Amino acid sequence: MTGMIALLTDFGLRDSYVGVMKGVMLNSYPEVSFIDISHSIEPFNIISASYLLYSAWDYFPKGTVFLSVVDPGVGTERNILLYLYNNNILITPDNGTISVLKRMHPASRTLIVSNQTIEKKRIGMSDTFHGRDIFAPLAADIAKNGLASIQAREEEGVVLKKVWPEIDKEKAKVSGSFIHIDHFGNCVSSIHASDLAGIQINAPASIHIGETRIHGVKRCFSDAAPGEFLVYEGSSGFLEVAVREGNAAENLHITDETRICIQYQC
Amino acid sequence: MTGMIALLTDFGLRDSYVGVMKGVMLNSYPEVSFIDISHSIEPFNIISASYLLYSAWDYFPKGTVFLSVVDPGVGTERNILLYLYNNNILITPDNGTISVLKRMHPASRTLIVSNQTIEKKRIGMSDTFHGRDIFAPLAADIAKNGLASIQAREEEGVVLKKVWPEIDKEKAKVSGSFIHIDHFGNCVSSIHASDLAGIQINAPASIHIGETRIHGVKRCFSDAAPGEFLVYEGSSGFLEVAVREGNAAENLHITDETRICIQYQC
Amino acid sequence: MTGMIALLTDFGLRDSYVGVMKGVMLNSYPEVSFIDISHSIEPFNIISASYLLYSAWDYFPKGTVFLSVVDPGVGTERNILLYLYNNNILITPDNGTISVLKRMHPASRTLIVSNQTIEKKRIGMSDTFHGRDIFAPLAADIAKNGLASIQAREEEGVVLKKVWPEIDKEKAKVSGSFIHIDHFGNCVSSIHASDLAGIQINAPASIHIGETRIHGVKRCFSDAAPGEFLVYEGSSGFLEVAVREGNAAENLHITDETRICIQYQC
């Protein structure tokens, strides 16, 4: 199989931005193929991007190059980061987009691309569309040639603390925030099933979400009545909040600021 | 040509769901290619999915595998259905998604996939994302190997009566419902041009749509004045309601419940 | 590399329209590949289509066939146009979709496809979905065989005057309109950076946008404070209006009718 690039941006679908990036990459690497992860995440929502990349990572063929351009700092001095794990590579502005990947896969490598490489690969001088002028040629080059011609230094990338929950094993309490709201209004929390290991001894759980209180973690939607709220382990292993056949984000007014807290009665 | 999978879901475009399904399929069948039919239909709208699959069926290359995941019953005991017609195959939850295809192509085969096959092909244990864990690996396997390794029994699938109109030839009257509303607000009815055969002897037609009355079936948009309502034979052969350079669904308040009735003056 | 077709329509993503067009093209040219430019532009917005095609043109591999179906006149007598420039070809209804391309690349060829060719290539008789029945088979044929079997006569296509600004070099004044609003609310004007050549001698510029007044052209978003309006040379060379980390179209109430005027103090 030839190179594959998986794309994530907040560019939306009404412009030519994504198509133009693909055109640029095909120009220098005609055999490349693309899979779109999403281009419709909330503009500038780095945490959401970070979650989606994690949710996709292990399901793509080994050797996939992920290119994420959620880049509120375009035109400023922010770095360009490479994240390497399990034979896949992510290229992204260094702004926290690796947060969930880094949390779940800490044994990964991160590299900052040198300015010399960036200037050498860039194809245009726009300061508002680095996706086209810098990221696309860089991703095509890496998908085609690996890291052979990329100058980069090992360095910790930016991570956002929000994706880590607070765990108090003694009090049997875990609290977190929400990191993604999906198309159906299901809300993905920062609490991963693995965060409950050693706490959750089949004890009943009392779950607070903002002002709402729910009892117990369920298996799936059909374990709740239509219209009922439920908390369950989502398909990426994080706890999610949904309302069966409804929209949890709207009904519970869940925002970036809302907290979720699980308390086990030991 | 290698295998092609045409995809229809209600997953929307802001998440990684569709991209992840493609990643899974590429993992087991690297040469497969994808065409997206739609991922933006109204959540859980099985009738709409059913119409879109029919509208696409005959326009794809023979051998196409259609994968439809509009699945309000995910995690429950609903079956997985194969629909075979004219050298194409559809894989779908058995929830009525085949209704329009079955109505228009009754000489088709339907098979229920055995639980043994499902358990053998599945790649993960999520009960909320069967698209990734069950449908994607199953579709990739069928696109690659045909039905060779699939255990399945012949059985009628679920069909929804809503897609059949009521035809009264003596009274020269046909009535139906709406099965799809498109991007422009054009409304596709369950009345197919072929339902009017033997009734419509160039007689003038009086058409009721909810409280609105329109006269005659027109050829295309340009036969109506801007802002005028019209009924015409749509591109899939079903009668549609539109307003020229406007949105018929909004202007006529057409919903799932609205009826359309055609009465010929013989 | 085999043939590539870049697609632009206003068909939206909730229907099967785009997928069906791809199915049709794959049927007659199985090796073709597709890149979507956009299917989510405002319905019938020919000017916006015209801008997006220009913004994409030079970034795609040479030999790309662009197919644009923004076609309010479907079913009427409008012609089908071929626009040839720099080894790429555009196929479009002759309704002004070439306006920005023609303005920026006047040394291009335009051809009207003969009715005989249209009738020979068409695959169905729908008068509401020429995208499927006429444009898709035509584009696949051209991507596969070039113009060998296409009868066409050289003719000027329709252009819309709106994409040309008014330039008054003596008064050091340039005024124009808005030709595209992007996903972020950034507004692309009809004033190209090259329109300011010979006027702009590092003189301070006073810019009127409707009732709003802004001083000076900036380099990029980060040259403005959060919430501040700015005018800058966009990634396609046209002047754009944005508000940093905000939505300029909404905040400045920019519509199709709004004017932008740049006055240099010489």
Side-chain angles (χ1 to χ4, degrees), chain C residues 33 255 257:
Chain C
S33 59
T255 70
E257 309 303 319

Side-chain angles (χ1 to χ4, degrees), chain C residues 213-235:
Chain C
R213 195 169 174 177
I214 296 173
H215 287 280
V217 174
K218 293 202 161 57
R219 189 184 57 95
C220 75
F221 307 130
S222 55
D223 291 341
E228 193 188 346
F229 294 111
L230 69 155
V231 173
Y232 58 99
E233 184 182 326
S235 55

Side-chain angles (χ1 to χ4, degrees), chain C residues 77-241:
Chain C
E77 294 298 306
R78 55 100 187 87
N79 287 313
I80 294 179
L81 189 79
L82 305 179
Y83 172 93
L84 285 68
Y85 177 72
N86 208 3
N87 290 315
N88 292 338
I89 298 179
L90 166 64
I91 305 163
T92 175
D94 183 21
N95 57 17
T97 299
I98 60 163
S99 298
V100 176
L101 278 166
K102 193 80 185 170
R103 182 196 152 186
M104 301 305 293
H105 303 309
S108 46
R109 285 179 68 199
T110 45
L111 304 170
I112 301 288
V113 180
S114 76
N115 287 333
Q116 198 185 335
T117 290
I118 292 170
E119 292 312 314
K120 204 168 146 192
K121 307 287 180 193
R122 84 182 290 164
I123 62 160
M125 295 311 293
S126 160
D127 272 317
T128 52
F129 194 5
H130 284 185
R132 178 192 69 191
D133 292 351
I134 295 176
F135 287 100
L138 193 60
D141 187 83
I142 291 174
K144 192 176 182 180
N145 306 311
L147 299 178
S149 69
I150 307 296
Q151 284 192 343
R153 61 180 189 277
E154 304 257 349
E155 199 168 302
E156 298 275 318
V158 174
V159 292
L160 301 171
K161 290 295 167 205
K162 189 179 178 182
V163 309
W164 274 265
E166 291 161 31
I167 303 176
D168 186 333
K169 290 208 175 187
E170 285 197 4
K171 293 188 181 159
K173 190 175 161 180
V174 181
S175 64
S177 58
F178 288 95
I179 57 177
H180 182 67
I181 296 176
D182 85 359
H183 174 68
F184 300 93
N186 302 339
C187 301
V188 181
S189 81
S190 61
I191 303 174
H192 193 268
S194 60
D195 297 326
L196 307 177
I199 299 179
Q200 166 202 23
I201 326 152
N202 291 318
S206 171
I207 307 173
H208 287 80
I209 299 153
E211 304 295 306
T212 309
R213 195 169 174 177
I214 296 173
H215 287 280
V217 174
K218 293 202 161 57
R219 189 184 57 95
C220 75
F221 307 130
S222 55
D223 291 341
E228 193 188 346
F229 294 111
L230 69 155
V231 173
Y232 58 99
E233 184 182 326
S235 55
S236 295
F238 289 90
L239 295 195
E240 302 184 8
V241 182

Side-chain angles (χ1 to χ4, degrees), chain B residues 34-258:
Chain B
F34 305 108
I35 298 293
D36 296 301
I37 298 178
S38 177
H39 303 292
S40 301
I41 69 168
E42 194 188 359
F44 314 135
N45 194 331
I46 290 162
I47 295 276
S48 206
S50 169
Y51 168 72
L52 292 178
L53 287 166
Y54 170 73
S55 75
W57 198 262
D58 288 328
Y59 292 98
F60 275 74
K62 294 291 165 262
T64 297
V65 172
F66 292 81
L67 173 57
S68 175
V69 190
V70 179
D71 193 13
V74 62
T76 65
E77 293 299 308
R78 57 98 187 89
N79 286 312
I80 295 179
L81 189 79
L82 305 179
Y83 171 94
L84 284 69
Y85 177 73
N86 209 4
N87 289 315
N88 291 339
I89 298 178
L90 167 65
I91 305 164
T92 175
D94 183 21
N95 56 18
T97 298
I98 61 165
S99 297
V100 175
L101 278 166
K102 191 80 185 173
R103 182 194 152 187
M104 301 305 291
H105 302 310
S108 47
R109 282 179 71 199
T110 45
L111 304 170
I112 301 288
V113 179
S114 75
N115 287 332
Q116 199 186 335
T117 291
I118 292 171
E119 291 311 315
K120 202 167 147 194
K121 308 288 179 192
R122 85 182 289 164
I123 61 160
M125 295 310 294
S126 160
D127 273 314
T128 53
F129 194 4
H130 284 184
R132 178 191 70 190
D133 291 351
I134 294 177
F135 287 100
L138 193 60
D141 187 84
I142 291 174
K144 192 176 183 182
N145 305 310
L147 299 179
S149 69
I150 307 296
Q151 284 191 342
R153 62 180 187 278
E154 304 258 349
E155 198 169 302
E156 298 275 317
V158 174
V159 292
L160 300 171
K161 289 295 165 204
K162 189 179 178 182
V163 309
W164 273 265
E166 290 161 30
I167 304 176
D168 186 333
K169 290 209 172 184
E170 285 197 5
K171 293 188 179 158
K173 190 174 161 181
V174 181
S175 65
S177 57
F178 288 96
I179 58 176
H180 182 66
I181 296 174
D182 86 358
H183 175 68
F184 299 92
N186 302 340
C187 301
V188 181
S189 81
S190 61
I191 303 174
H192 193 267
S194 61
D195 297 325
L196 306 178
I199 298 180
Q200 167 202 25
I201 325 152
N202 293 316
S206 172
I207 307 173
H208 287 80
I209 298 153
E211 304 296 306
T212 309
R213 196 168 171 177
I214 296 173
H215 286 279
V217 174
K218 294 201 161 55
R219 189 184 58 95
C220 74
F221 308 130
S222 54
D223 292 341
E228 193 188 345
F229 294 111
L230 69 153
V231 174
Y232 58 99
E233 185 183 324
S235 56
S236 296
F238 289 90
L239 295 195
E240 300 185 8
V241 182
V243 53
R244 187 175 171 191
E245 293 170 26
N247 188 306
E250 284 177 11
N251 292 353
L252 290 177
H253 309 291
I254 290 174
T255 69
D256 282 354
E257 309 303 319
T258 310

Side-chain angles (χ1 to χ4, degrees), chain A residues 166-261:
Chain A
E166 290 161 31
I167 303 176
D168 186 332
K169 290 210 173 186
E170 285 196 3
K171 292 189 181 160
K173 192 174 161 180
V174 181
S175 63
S177 57
F178 288 95
I179 58 177
H180 182 66
I181 295 174
D182 85 0
H183 175 67
F184 299 93
N186 303 338
C187 302
V188 181
S189 81
S190 61
I191 303 175
H192 193 269
S194 62
D195 296 325
L196 307 177
I199 298 180
Q200 168 203 24
I201 326 153
N202 292 316
S206 173
I207 307 173
H208 286 80
I209 299 152
E211 303 296 304
T212 308
R213 195 168 173 179
I214 295 173
H215 287 279
V217 174
K218 293 203 161 55
R219 187 184 60 95
C220 74
F221 307 131
S222 56
D223 292 341
E228 193 188 345
F229 294 110
L230 69 154
V231 173
Y232 58 98
E233 184 182 325
S235 56
S236 295
F238 288 90
L239 295 195
E240 300 184 8
V241 182
V243 52
R244 186 173 172 193
E245 293 169 27
N247 187 305
E250 285 178 12
N251 292 353
L252 290 177
H253 308 288
I254 291 174
T255 69
D256 281 355
E257 308 304 318
T258 310
R259 299 288 296 173
I260 173 171
C261 175

